């Protein structure tokens, strides 16, 4: 990966304070038409699924540049008008195709903090390391630089569920801590978790994923447990 690309990742990542993309919630982007319905034409969820599936397949097979609206329509065996009734830009389709994750449930909390941190690390890595996502991120980063507010809207749309869920996991583990301490510590852990999984997923994919998840989980546990001890001194 080039130095320029690392610079882009440093300045506009896709998770955490360095950027966040998880568990889609309300979409407020002006250039997306999801949810609008033509007069007398109820939305067909099968058409939506066909479009998003086609976008993911093209990203994985041909890369970001060749994943055009025309190519998506051809792969989905639809007219481009069907796409434009739902999305107004290629970028908005790709965001939903690789980052929507409406059916991606967050990791389940257990009684073991280390196991949970390992599950969270795997969860993030699995999504970033997918071929479609690895192809999409460089192109979206470039588009965000050219479209004012697009990145910020994506962050507002998708950050809170995962960040709040991780804070709740920390609260369960350390009920004696003050809420402000829990939120602060969880935020740091969240940012580290997503930044490391993004870089790892984009550069190495799933290679040595188990070892990476183990090391990252160990580091997160040290951070979460050590933060409370430091605060009480």
């Amino acid at each position: 990966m080039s130095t320029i690309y690392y610079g882009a990742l440093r300045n506009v990542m896709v998770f955490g304070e360095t950027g966040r993309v998880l568990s889609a919630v309300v979409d407020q982007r002006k250039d997306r038409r999801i949810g609008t319905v033509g007069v007398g034409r109820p939305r067909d969820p099968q058409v939506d699924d066909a479009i998003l599936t086609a976008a993911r397949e093209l990203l994985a097979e041909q890369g970001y540049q060749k994943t055009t609206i025309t190519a998506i329509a051809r792969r989905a065996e639809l007219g481009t008008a069907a796409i434009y009734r739902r999305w107004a830009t290629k970028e908005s389709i790709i965001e939903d195709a690789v980052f929507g994750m409406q059916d991606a449930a967050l990791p389940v909390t257990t009684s073991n903090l280390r196991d949970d941190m390992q599950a969270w690390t795997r969860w993030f890595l699995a999504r970033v390391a997918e071929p479609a996502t690895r192809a999409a991120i460089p192109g979206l980063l470039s588009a965000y630089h050219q479209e004012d507010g697009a990145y910020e809207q994506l962050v507002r749309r998708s950050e809170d569920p995962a960040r709040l869920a991780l804070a709740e996991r920390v609260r369960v583990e350390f009920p004696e801590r003050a809420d402000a301490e829990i939120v602060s510590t969880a935020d740091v852990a969240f940012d580290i978790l997503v930044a490391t999984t993004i870089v790892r997923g984009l550069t190495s994919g799933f290679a040595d994923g188990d070892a990476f998840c183990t090391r990252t989980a160990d580091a997160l546990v040290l951070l979460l447990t050590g933060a409370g001890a430091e605060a009480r001194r």
Side-chain angles (χ1 to χ4, degrees):
M1 188 179 295
S2 69
T3 302
I4 293 175
Y5 186 57
Y6 272 120
L9 283 172
R10 183 181 65 249
N11 293 323
V12 189
M13 295 285 281
V14 188
F15 288 112
E17 284 301 322
T18 49
R20 308 101 172 165
V21 181
L22 287 171
S23 299
V25 287
V26 178
D27 183 358
Q28 298 176 343
R29 285 197 59 175
K30 294 180 181 179
D31 69 351
R32 183 180 284 105
R33 297 173 184 174
I34 282 290
T36 60
V37 180
V39 176
R41 301 188 63 170
R43 286 281 300 281
D44 184 347
Q46 291 185 338
V47 173
D48 294 354
D49 290 344
I51 293 168
L52 297 177
T53 298
R56 285 190 293 269
E57 290 175 352
L58 286 167
L59 284 165
E61 295 169 12
Q62 301 184 26
Y64 183 88
Q65 295 301 325
K66 293 184 178 180
T67 303
T68 63
I69 288 180
T70 299
I72 293 170
R74 187 181 300 115
R75 175 66 63 94
E77 299 183 347
L78 296 166
T80 56
I83 294 179
Y84 282 117
R85 282 196 296 270
R86 293 163 169 82
W87 294 270
T89 68
K90 163 182 166 176
E91 288 75 25
S92 60
I93 299 171
I94 290 176
E95 282 182 14
D96 281 348
V98 300
F99 299 135
M101 299 184 190
Q102 288 87 346
D103 299 323
L106 290 165
V108 176
T109 296
T110 72
S111 60
N112 188 301
L113 179 62
R114 185 182 178 282
D115 288 350
D116 287 356
M117 292 303 98
Q118 199 160 14
W120 273 82
T121 307
R122 287 197 188 99
W123 191 86
F124 277 83
L125 181 63
R127 280 146 186 80
V128 178
E130 287 292 335
T133 308
R134 296 178 73 184
I137 287 177
L140 288 175
L141 289 175
S142 177
Y144 291 151
H145 282 300
Q146 299 172 23
E147 183 181 347
D148 291 342
Y151 168 71
E152 289 76 10
Q153 289 167 353
L154 181 60
V155 169
R156 287 196 299 270
R157 166 193 179 201
S158 56
E159 171 191 1
D160 287 349
R163 188 175 287 270
L164 293 175
L166 185 59
E168 184 56 33
R169 177 62 188 90
V170 177
R171 184 174 289 107
V172 168
E173 188 71 21
F174 306 104
E176 74 283 357
R177 294 185 185 177
D179 190 66
E181 178 190 340
I182 288 171
V183 171
S184 176
T185 304
D187 276 348
V188 172
F190 185 91
D191 293 341
I192 291 173
L193 172 62
V194 296
T196 55
T197 51
I198 274 195
V199 173
R200 180 72 182 198
L202 292 181
T203 57
S204 302
F206 294 108
D208 297 322
D210 287 342
F212 166 78
C213 291
T214 297
R215 293 193 304 271
T216 303
D218 288 343
L220 290 172
V221 170
L222 285 173
L223 168 66
L224 294 172
T225 55
E230 182 68 24
R232 288 189 291 273
R233 286 182 182 176

